[in-house]
Amino acid sequence: MSGWRRGARRDARVYDSVVRRRLVALALVAGIVSPALAAPPRLVLLGTAGGPTPKRTRAAPAQALEVDGTVYVVDCGNGVGRQMALAGLPFPGLRHVFLTHQHSDHDADLVTLPLLAWAAGNEGTVTLHGPGPMRRAVRAGLRAHAFDIETRMKDEGRPDLRKLLSVQAVPQGGLVLDQGRVRVTAARVDHPPIEEAFAYRFDVAGWSVVISGDTAPSQNLVGLARGADVLVHEVLLADAAEVARWLEKPPEHPLVQHVLRSHTSFHDVGRIAREAGVGTLVLSHFVPGDAPVDKDAVLAEIRKSFHGKVVFGEDLMVLTPD
Ligand SMILES: [Zn+2]
Ligand SMILES: [Zn+2]
């Protein structure tokens, strides 16, 4: 089969799945099908690299949960909109964005994502949940795009995006969103020097997914992830000497010290998954993000403490309930 045909078939499959999910979402709203008969929720790893430098092999950090046509995004690394398009996620379904913290690998597209979703036809409200200071960044981002927003309002008859975006600060963690079928809770994690760094837990119709964000080993994260089906956890794949070598800095350099004290090594991530008692550990936010992963070595280390399922995350990987 030619590459063109294979591509066309894949596009058709993505299109079919998008259409099917939208029909189910419409039917749910109309009460034609019950939630029990709806398509299962799906978690899509949109970007699995850590660190702000754009990478060749992995996109910047972002995840999406799609539930009955509604899209919940966690983190907005650069290019998250493009990754959503590749995953076949519907832009008009974007309703909630959860930011783990304000490092640019996680928030470069915080305003760009709702802006582009709006330009792609999203006329619904989008709530941005995250650290309090995010409010200033969102206001500034909207000001930066005022020309485009006002031009499209006049020229294309679109609603005012500034009235469709709201910001909800997550002060200490705890319950962030409760829609019945979808419940989101947060916990503060340890990512010095950033004070407001959060992990998020989604409970969706009996399926639970936790996104760690960036964190050193954190007991708050262990508590949040207790008994979860899926834990997506960041991972540092290098020891201290390797981090210094890879960053081409002396071991005492602030950047080397930041990487070591603010992230979770592959030596620790299995213990965290075991303590939390999760079913599946998904490794993501790989640091370094553009190097081949020695899966055997990492898995051997994790297997010293964790015996559940281990998944090495890849961009556009999809996870669904078993
Ligand atoms: Zn990061
Ligand atoms: Zn960070």
Side-chain angles (χ1 to χ4, degrees):
M1 191 190 298
S2 75
W4 179 85
R5 276 216 181 155
R6 265 200 312 272
R9 282 207 179 171
R10 192 191 56 234
D11 289 349
R13 274 200 307 274
V14 169
Y15 181 76
D16 284 351
S17 119
V18 170
V19 169
R20 204 166 40 245
R21 283 172 181 278
R22 283 187 194 164
L23 286 174
V24 169
L26 283 172
L28 267 168
V29 170
I32 297 167
V33 296
S34 76
L37 297 175
R42 62 175 182 149
L43 168 69
V44 186
L45 307 181
L46 294 171
T48 56
T53 310
K55 313 288 191 298
R56 284 178 302 110
T57 55
R58 294 178 187 271
Q63 297 71 206
L65 255 137
E66 185 184 14
V67 185
D68 306 330
T70 299
V71 179
Y72 306 76
V73 169
V74 181
D75 281 340
C76 289
N78 176 236
V80 58
R82 164 87 163 136
Q83 294 301 101
M84 273 184 64
L86 290 173
L89 288 162
F91 289 108
L94 180 68
R95 288 293 173 274
H96 293 274
V97 173
F98 301 85
L99 190 67
T100 61
H101 66 296
Q102 291 181 281
H103 260 151
S104 53
D105 49 334
H106 299 256
D107 76 352
D109 282 2
L110 178 64
V111 176
T112 317
L113 176 63
L115 173 75
L116 299 181
W118 169 78
N122 188 14
E123 298 196 347
T125 57
V126 177
T127 306
L128 309 174
H129 309 261
M134 185 176 92
R135 196 179 296 280
R136 267 202 317 273
V138 172
R139 253 191 242 126
L142 285 171
R143 269 203 303 277
H145 291 290
F147 182 88
D148 178 73
I149 293 169
E150 284 156 23
T151 302
R152 289 187 197 280
M153 284 167 64
K154 281 194 215 104
D155 190 39
E156 301 172 12
R158 294 185 190 278
D160 189 343
L161 175 65
R162 292 161 294 200
K163 294 186 177 143
L164 296 175
L165 280 194
S166 75
V167 176
Q168 292 287 331
V170 177
Q172 290 296 330
L175 185 65
V176 175
L177 180 71
D178 191 354
Q179 299 179 313
R181 190 157 148 79
V182 179
R183 219 176 120 83
V184 185
T185 43
R188 282 223 187 189
V189 290
D190 302 326
H191 191 47
I194 292 183
E195 274 182 32
E196 293 191 50
F198 298 103
Y200 292 98
R201 175 179 178 132
F202 292 76
D203 284 278
V204 184
W207 191 50
S208 45
V209 171
V210 176
I211 313 290
S212 75
D214 284 10
T215 183
S218 158
Q219 281 308 305
N220 280 357
L221 185 270
V222 168
L224 182 76
R226 186 87 58 207
D229 295 300
V230 176
L231 168 61
V232 180
H233 204 292
E234 68 128 285
V235 66
L236 171 62
L237 296 172
D239 292 319
E242 289 166 325
V243 171
R245 217 174 22 251
W246 150 61
L247 292 171
E248 299 177 345
K249 306 269 188 249
E252 64 282 5
H253 190 281
L255 180 56
V256 176
Q257 291 303 312
H258 164 79
V259 169
L260 292 173
R261 79 169 186 272
S262 306
H263 295 279
T264 298
S265 152
F266 69 104
H267 297 296
D268 295 320
V269 72
R271 175 178 54 77
I272 290 161
R274 188 199 60 214
E275 280 182 29
V278 301
T280 298
L281 170 64
V282 179
L283 302 177
S284 190
H285 194 280
F286 290 95
V287 174
D290 227 356
V293 179
D294 184 345
K295 293 185 181 176
D296 291 341
V298 173
L299 192 58
E301 194 61 21
I302 289 173
R303 283 288 178 241
K304 289 178 185 170
S305 48
F306 179 65
H307 301 287
K309 191 171 168 191
V310 177
V311 174
F312 287 80
E314 296 290 343
D315 290 4
L316 304 180
M317 185 180 267
V318 177
L319 292 101
T320 52
D322 290 332

PDB file of all heavy atoms in Angstrom, residues 49-52 61 101 103 105-106 191 214 263 285 287, ligand 1:
ATOM      1  N   ALA A  49       8.183  15.063  26.733  1.00  0.00           N
ATOM      2  CA  ALA A  49       9.543  15.529  27.053  1.00  0.00           C
ATOM      3  C   ALA A  49       9.491  16.472  28.241  1.00  0.00           C
ATOM      4  O   ALA A  49       8.502  17.157  28.451  1.00  0.00           O
ATOM      5  CB  ALA A  49      10.148  16.249  25.861  1.00  0.00           C
ATOM      6  N   GLY A  50      10.569  16.535  29.014  1.00  0.00           N
ATOM      7  CA  GLY A  50      10.673  17.542  30.062  1.00  0.00           C
ATOM      8  C   GLY A  50      11.679  18.596  29.651  1.00  0.00           C
ATOM      9  O   GLY A  50      12.587  18.326  28.856  1.00  0.00           O
ATOM     10  N   GLY A  51      11.516  19.805  30.191  1.00  0.00           N
ATOM     11  CA  GLY A  51      12.470  20.883  29.926  1.00  0.00           C
ATOM     12  C   GLY A  51      12.026  21.782  28.788  1.00  0.00           C
ATOM     13  O   GLY A  51      11.317  21.337  27.880  1.00  0.00           O
ATOM     14  N   PRO A  52      12.440  23.061  28.854  1.00  0.00           N
ATOM     15  CA  PRO A  52      11.911  24.070  27.926  1.00  0.00           C
ATOM     16  C   PRO A  52      12.506  24.041  26.519  1.00  0.00           C
ATOM     17  O   PRO A  52      11.914  24.606  25.594  1.00  0.00           O
ATOM     18  CB  PRO A  52      12.263  25.394  28.623  1.00  0.00           C
ATOM     19  CG  PRO A  52      13.454  25.081  29.472  1.00  0.00           C
ATOM     20  CD  PRO A  52      13.304  23.648  29.900  1.00  0.00           C
ATOM     21  N   PRO A  61       5.484  19.056  27.498  1.00  0.00           N
ATOM     22  CA  PRO A  61       4.512  18.381  28.378  1.00  0.00           C
ATOM     23  C   PRO A  61       3.061  18.828  28.187  1.00  0.00           C
ATOM     24  O   PRO A  61       2.758  20.012  28.201  1.00  0.00           O
ATOM     25  CB  PRO A  61       4.979  18.787  29.792  1.00  0.00           C
ATOM     26  CG  PRO A  61       6.399  19.159  29.638  1.00  0.00           C
ATOM     27  CD  PRO A  61       6.549  19.712  28.257  1.00  0.00           C
ATOM     28  N   HIS A 101       2.173  23.972  36.948  1.00  0.00           N
ATOM     29  CA  HIS A 101       3.012  25.048  37.485  1.00  0.00           C
ATOM     30  C   HIS A 101       3.475  25.921  36.334  1.00  0.00           C
ATOM     31  O   HIS A 101       3.326  25.563  35.160  1.00  0.00           O
ATOM     32  CB  HIS A 101       4.200  24.486  38.271  1.00  0.00           C
ATOM     33  CG  HIS A 101       5.184  23.719  37.442  1.00  0.00           C
ATOM     34  ND1 HIS A 101       4.870  22.544  36.782  1.00  0.00           N
ATOM     35  CD2 HIS A 101       6.496  23.959  37.150  1.00  0.00           C
ATOM     36  CE1 HIS A 101       5.933  22.094  36.140  1.00  0.00           C
ATOM     37  NE2 HIS A 101       6.922  22.940  36.334  1.00  0.00           N
ATOM     38  N   HIS A 103       6.255  26.846  34.775  1.00  0.00           N
ATOM     39  CA  HIS A 103       7.517  26.724  34.057  1.00  0.00           C
ATOM     40  C   HIS A 103       7.152  26.699  32.575  1.00  0.00           C
ATOM     41  O   HIS A 103       6.148  26.085  32.199  1.00  0.00           O
ATOM     42  CB  HIS A 103       8.239  25.425  34.430  1.00  0.00           C
ATOM     43  CG  HIS A 103       9.333  25.604  35.443  1.00  0.00           C
ATOM     44  ND1 HIS A 103       9.691  24.606  36.322  1.00  0.00           N
ATOM     45  CD2 HIS A 103      10.177  26.656  35.689  1.00  0.00           C
ATOM     46  CE1 HIS A 103      10.697  25.040  37.084  1.00  0.00           C
ATOM     47  NE2 HIS A 103      10.993  26.271  36.723  1.00  0.00           N
ATOM     48  N   ASP A 105       8.075  25.092  30.001  1.00  0.00           N
ATOM     49  CA  ASP A 105       7.804  23.842  29.263  1.00  0.00           C
ATOM     50  C   ASP A 105       6.352  23.400  29.475  1.00  0.00           C
ATOM     51  O   ASP A 105       5.789  22.677  28.649  1.00  0.00           O
ATOM     52  CB  ASP A 105       8.790  22.711  29.608  1.00  0.00           C
ATOM     53  CG  ASP A 105       9.015  22.461  31.079  1.00  0.00           C
ATOM     54  OD1 ASP A 105       8.833  23.403  31.877  1.00  0.00           O
ATOM     55  OD2 ASP A 105       9.386  21.325  31.443  1.00  0.00           O
ATOM     56  N   HIS A 106       5.688  23.915  30.538  1.00  0.00           N
ATOM     57  CA  HIS A 106       4.301  23.522  30.841  1.00  0.00           C
ATOM     58  C   HIS A 106       3.268  24.583  30.464  1.00  0.00           C
ATOM     59  O   HIS A 106       2.094  24.257  30.319  1.00  0.00           O
ATOM     60  CB  HIS A 106       4.169  23.196  32.335  1.00  0.00           C
ATOM     61  CG  HIS A 106       5.048  22.067  32.751  1.00  0.00           C
ATOM     62  ND1 HIS A 106       4.553  20.801  32.994  1.00  0.00           N
ATOM     63  CD2 HIS A 106       6.396  21.987  32.907  1.00  0.00           C
ATOM     64  CE1 HIS A 106       5.573  20.005  33.306  1.00  0.00           C
ATOM     65  NE2 HIS A 106       6.696  20.700  33.249  1.00  0.00           N
ATOM     66  N   HIS A 191       8.396  21.165  44.104  1.00  0.00           N
ATOM     67  CA  HIS A 191       9.153  21.529  42.903  1.00  0.00           C
ATOM     68  C   HIS A 191       9.860  22.865  43.130  1.00  0.00           C
ATOM     69  O   HIS A 191       9.550  23.861  42.485  1.00  0.00           O
ATOM     70  CB  HIS A 191       8.175  21.596  41.713  1.00  0.00           C
ATOM     71  CG  HIS A 191       8.842  21.696  40.378  1.00  0.00           C
ATOM     72  ND1 HIS A 191       9.889  20.887  39.994  1.00  0.00           N
ATOM     73  CD2 HIS A 191       8.605  22.509  39.312  1.00  0.00           C
ATOM     74  CE1 HIS A 191      10.253  21.195  38.769  1.00  0.00           C
ATOM     75  NE2 HIS A 191       9.503  22.193  38.334  1.00  0.00           N
ATOM     76  N   ASP A 214       5.581  18.362  37.719  1.00  0.00           N
ATOM     77  CA  ASP A 214       7.008  18.265  38.057  1.00  0.00           C
ATOM     78  C   ASP A 214       7.140  18.210  39.571  1.00  0.00           C
ATOM     79  O   ASP A 214       6.623  19.081  40.278  1.00  0.00           O
ATOM     80  CB  ASP A 214       7.762  19.504  37.555  1.00  0.00           C
ATOM     81  CG  ASP A 214       7.995  19.457  36.057  1.00  0.00           C
ATOM     82  OD1 ASP A 214       7.407  18.579  35.404  1.00  0.00           O
ATOM     83  OD2 ASP A 214       8.756  20.298  35.562  1.00  0.00           O
ATOM     84  N   HIS A 263      13.211  17.228  40.833  1.00  0.00           N
ATOM     85  CA  HIS A 263      12.621  16.172  40.004  1.00  0.00           C
ATOM     86  C   HIS A 263      12.783  14.802  40.673  1.00  0.00           C
ATOM     87  O   HIS A 263      13.416  14.680  41.720  1.00  0.00           O
ATOM     88  CB  HIS A 263      13.248  16.188  38.600  1.00  0.00           C
ATOM     89  CG  HIS A 263      12.921  17.445  37.846  1.00  0.00           C
ATOM     90  ND1 HIS A 263      11.722  17.617  37.203  1.00  0.00           N
ATOM     91  CD2 HIS A 263      13.614  18.606  37.688  1.00  0.00           C
ATOM     92  CE1 HIS A 263      11.691  18.830  36.656  1.00  0.00           C
ATOM     93  NE2 HIS A 263      12.824  19.452  36.934  1.00  0.00           N
ATOM     94  N   HIS A 285       7.415  13.068  30.863  1.00  0.00           N
ATOM     95  CA  HIS A 285       8.287  14.203  31.192  1.00  0.00           C
ATOM     96  C   HIS A 285       9.725  13.682  31.353  1.00  0.00           C
ATOM     97  O   HIS A 285      10.385  13.878  32.373  1.00  0.00           O
ATOM     98  CB  HIS A 285       7.800  14.888  32.478  1.00  0.00           C
ATOM     99  CG  HIS A 285       8.419  16.242  32.723  1.00  0.00           C
ATOM    100  ND1 HIS A 285       9.677  16.385  33.254  1.00  0.00           N
ATOM    101  CD2 HIS A 285       7.971  17.500  32.518  1.00  0.00           C
ATOM    102  CE1 HIS A 285       9.970  17.681  33.373  1.00  0.00           C
ATOM    103  NE2 HIS A 285       8.941  18.375  32.926  1.00  0.00           N
ATOM    104  N   VAL A 287      13.504  13.454  31.270  1.00  0.00           N
ATOM    105  CA  VAL A 287      14.652  14.363  31.316  1.00  0.00           C
ATOM    106  C   VAL A 287      15.917  13.510  31.390  1.00  0.00           C
ATOM    107  O   VAL A 287      16.044  12.710  32.320  1.00  0.00           O
ATOM    108  CB  VAL A 287      14.578  15.296  32.543  1.00  0.00           C
ATOM    109  CG1 VAL A 287      15.853  16.136  32.660  1.00  0.00           C
ATOM    110  CG2 VAL A 287      13.352  16.207  32.455  1.00  0.00           C
TER     111      VAL A 287
HETATM  112 ZN    ZN B   1       8.867  20.456  33.381  1.00  0.00          ZN
END
